Each structure stands twice: as C-alpha cells, then as structure tokens.
Amino acid sequence: AYYLELDGDYVWISMDAFTTDASKIGVPCLSSECGDGMMPSIFQQQLNNINVVSNVAGLSGDGVSGNIEFWPYNYSPGSTGSFGTNDANTHSGNFGSMQIHLSLGRTVFAFNHFNVGEVADLGIGNSNGVGFGSDWSL
C-alpha cells in the first residue's frame, strides 16, 4: 500500500501485488543498486483489486482496476497525445515516473521528475491544468 498526504489532501491505496520483490516497490531510481540490485525497476502494467481511500473527490473506491507507471527514465505522451494514464517510457534519460491511475483516466497519485535533483512534480488526483496532462508531468 502507499499513503501520500499533501497540503491537506490525502490518499491511501492498496492493490494486488505487482511484484513479489519488496525491494522494487519504492521510488524508481537510476542506480542498479535500487530494485533488484542489477537493473532499475520498471513497471507499466494493469493493476487489479485497487482500494482507494481519499478526501479528494472521485478517488475513493474498492476493487477497481487501473495501471502503474513506475520507471526512472524520461517518458512521452502515449496514444492519447497528452501525459496521463498511457505514457510511453523512453528507457533513457533521468526524469522519472511513479504514478498509479484508475482505469477511468483518473490519476491516484503522481511523483515525477525525481532523479534530476531539481524540483519534483507531486500530486494527488488529476492535475487539472497543472503541467501538460492529468498526471502532474512537467
């Protein structure tokens, strides 16, 4: 499960396991010492049995599906043409994505731009005009 509290908003989310290796569920970093110790952790897949408790409107729910976008690299907008639930991992660069989305196009939380040493992007729910999509990117 993950918990994030930001400026009075909060979200707690659990889901079926997306890996059996607990060392891979943290913030994805570029070092091979993160994750399994051999290569950076990358997850872009469907999630099942998501349970969300939040004070942000439209986020709470039980047993829903969604997807995960965890990687330490740059990414571009996916097939939708904007950053959101279907980003394309470039497998290069150092921007970073740690995002979980619900299947209805709703961002649960997003933590981006964390490998560069600059100001990171962090948000709960859809960004609603902040950045270039619903996932707080850029």
Side-chain angles (χ1 to χ4, degrees):
Y2 296 90
Y3 179 81
L4 175 64
E5 189 170 343
L6 182 64
D7 296 330
D9 291 335
Y10 68 87
V11 63
W12 176 89
I13 179 171
S14 69
M15 75 277 315
D16 288 347
F18 57 89
T19 179
T20 57
D21 186 346
S23 70
K24 296 182 178 184
I25 65 172
V27 176
C29 75
L30 290 167
S31 171
S32 62
E33 295 175 13
C34 299
D36 64 7
M38 296 175 20
M39 58 186 309
S41 299
I42 299 171
F43 295 99
Q44 186 170 22
Q45 64 196 54
Q46 170 107 10
L47 295 175
N48 296 307
N49 198 29
I50 297 173
N51 302 297
V52 181
V53 177
S54 179
N55 64 346
V56 175
L59 279 187
S60 294
D62 294 320
V64 298
S65 62
N67 70 301
I68 185 173
E69 296 178 335
F70 280 21
W71 55 71
Y73 305 117
N74 295 350
Y75 53 98
S76 59
S79 59
T80 62
S82 66
F83 292 105
T85 63
N86 189 27
D87 296 331
N89 178 0
T90 66
H91 298 278
S92 64
N94 59 4
F95 196 82
S97 172
M98 186 175 183
Q99 305 173 9
I100 297 180
H101 308 279
L102 300 179
S103 60
L104 299 175
R106 188 91 172 131
T107 299
V108 177
F109 74 82
F111 180 38
N112 313 312
H113 199 221
F114 46 78
N115 279 319
V116 181
E118 298 175 3
V119 176
D121 307 322
L122 180 63
I124 298 172
N126 285 356
S127 62
N128 298 323
V130 176
F132 292 98
S134 63
D135 66 4
W136 302 89
S137 292
L138 308 173

